[in-house]
Amino acid sequence: MQYRTLGRTGIKVSPYALGTLMFATSMGNAPEDSASVLHKALDAGINFLDTADAYGDSEDVVGKALEGRRDDVVLATKFGRPTGEDPNHQGASRRWIVTAVENSLRRLRTDHIDLYQLHRPDPGTDIEETLSALTDLLRSGKVRAIGASGTPVADIVEGQWVASRRGLTGFHTEQPVYSLLNRGIERELLPVTQRFGMGTLVWGPLGQGLLTGRRHDELRRAGLVRHLNDERRLDVVEKLAALAAEAGLPMTHLAMAFTITHPGVTSALLGARTMAHLDDLLAGLDVTLSDDLLDRIDEIVPPGTDVGTLDQTYQPPALEQPGLRRRPAADRAAA
């Protein structure tokens, strides 16, 4: 395994990281099965694990599975998404952060978190408050690095500016969606994270199912999320599948290798639920995509473009709330 430095933190991580959403028992996995998948990933050289307090009992499962091996991994978790009915059990306020980190430390059975990430932006909390609380956690030793996920480019820049002006620690990492189908971050986000020396851990490299090589009629029948029934995305997947077959590669290997080829990407998350899924992905660890193959991919999905969006992608308030992009009816006319 060739390890990469996570931004400017000095922490060495594997190009593939193990995402643990699928380890939650609500996803159908027994804890012992998840532990077996985790141990095999570690044995293969993957040293970067990512979980979240909102992933059901995933932190509990990970914490128990890591007993005796905690020092072998770079352990990342996230906070910010709702974890209950209480409106204060979410977000990026200092009040919630100092509670959430203690809950995660307890579930993970550890005295420190290597990378603590804001799961989604919280427009209701001033970024200075969030960074102040996280800086205190860094100074206490409970957290070794801080990051965010799904952050708009303007907010990334603002966070770095606020940290610099207020003597706080800025986010060390960002976690955006990135795949053969969703390349929008190549336009601005990746150049910005590179400029600020941030590490980038990308999620959704398999298009949340579309780039697994499954039959497209099965994907259309899935009906669980809208992007699995997006005809534009399915048409592009068919072209990519033909390219993968021509190159003699499984679709999963083409998709994963693509995501870690960009110089701005530190690691890509593997979302393996079963040992069979992990075995398939591990078999592609040494795949290198040629310039010619990358040029062919660019012809199908141009750099910096998205083919549709994933249901779980963060949408800022200006897109979710019509009132923020519409003047009052009386003020809309030019005359």
Side-chain angles (χ1 to χ4, degrees):
M1 189 73 68
Q2 298 187 49
Y3 296 93
R4 301 174 174 183
T5 304
L6 187 62
R8 293 174 180 162
T9 66
I11 301 171
K12 301 295 185 180
V13 295
S14 48
Y16 290 161
L18 183 64
T20 63
L21 168 62
M22 294 297 179
F23 286 7
T25 53
S26 61
M27 303 301 291
N29 268 18
E32 56 269 22
D33 294 334
S34 295
S36 296
V37 171
L38 187 152
H39 294 158
K40 184 160 189 176
L42 296 184
D43 292 341
I46 292 174
N47 74 337
F48 199 6
L49 305 182
D50 179 77
T51 185
D53 59 6
Y55 291 170
D57 60 351
S58 175
E59 285 186 325
D60 283 304
V61 172
V62 170
K64 186 174 181 179
L66 283 180
E67 289 181 344
R69 303 192 68 170
R70 171 65 183 92
D71 292 340
D72 298 334
V73 305
V74 176
L75 182 57
T77 192
K78 299 183 286 292
F79 70 94
R81 302 194 82 168
T83 59
E85 297 298 323
D86 191 316
N88 285 311
H89 289 183
Q90 60 182 292
S93 68
R94 173 179 287 272
R95 181 181 188 274
W96 177 236
I97 289 172
V98 297
T99 299
V101 72
E102 295 297 340
N103 292 339
S104 288
L105 288 168
R106 183 185 68 256
R107 288 189 291 262
L108 291 167
R109 296 170 171 81
T110 186
D111 62 356
H112 72 280
I113 294 165
D114 295 303
L115 175 61
Y116 199 42
Q117 305 159 99
L118 174 60
H119 207 151
R120 287 291 184 272
D122 178 10
T125 303
D126 193 291
I127 187 62
E128 183 175 349
E129 174 171 345
T130 301
L131 290 176
S132 175
L134 292 174
T135 298
D136 287 346
L137 291 182
L138 288 165
R139 291 169 178 164
S140 74
K142 292 180 179 180
V143 168
R144 304 295 167 82
I146 58 174
S149 177
T151 314
V153 173
D155 291 352
I156 293 175
V157 175
E158 181 187 9
Q160 296 293 330
W161 182 86
V162 168
S164 176
R165 291 294 296 267
R166 302 302 185 191
L168 303 172
T169 301
F171 290 120
H172 298 109
T173 66
E174 172 61 24
Q175 188 176 145
V177 62
Y178 186 51
S179 73
L180 286 165
L181 299 172
N182 290 96
R183 303 183 58 178
I185 65 171
E186 295 173 348
R187 182 174 296 275
E188 291 186 72
L189 191 147
L190 286 176
V192 166
T193 57
Q194 288 176 281
R195 184 182 308 167
F196 286 114
M198 300 170 67
T200 306
L201 171 63
V202 301
W203 63 274
L206 297 180
Q208 291 196 306
L210 283 177
L211 300 172
T212 60
R214 292 171 58 192
R215 294 206 324 271
H216 300 157
D217 57 338
E218 292 178 351
L219 293 170
R220 286 186 172 93
R221 286 200 302 270
L224 298 176
V225 284
R226 290 190 300 272
H227 69 256
L228 293 180
N229 293 282
D230 186 330
E231 294 295 332
R232 291 181 304 151
R233 288 170 70 84
L234 291 170
D235 288 344
V236 171
V237 169
E238 290 178 356
K239 296 177 182 178
L240 291 170
L243 180 61
E246 183 181 334
L249 293 172
M251 175 69 93
T252 51
H253 294 182
L254 177 73
M256 291 302 305
F258 171 81
T259 60
I260 63 168
T261 295
H262 194 290
V265 173
T266 310
S267 298
L269 285 164
L270 305 174
R273 183 175 69 85
T274 68
M275 194 67 77
H277 294 160
L278 181 63
D279 286 340
D280 169 58
L281 295 170
L282 291 179
L285 286 178
D286 61 350
V287 170
T288 299
L289 304 184
S290 67
D291 287 342
D292 177 66
L293 189 54
L294 291 169
D295 289 342
R296 299 278 299 279
I297 291 172
D298 288 349
E299 293 173 1
I300 298 172
V301 183
T305 64
D306 289 323
V307 183
T309 59
L310 297 181
D311 292 4
Q312 295 176 338
T313 301
Y314 171 75
Q315 296 292 345
L319 298 183
E320 286 194 327
Q321 302 174 30
L324 296 179
R325 60 178 185 274
R326 297 174 184 173
R327 292 177 181 271
D331 299 335
R332 293 175 188 171

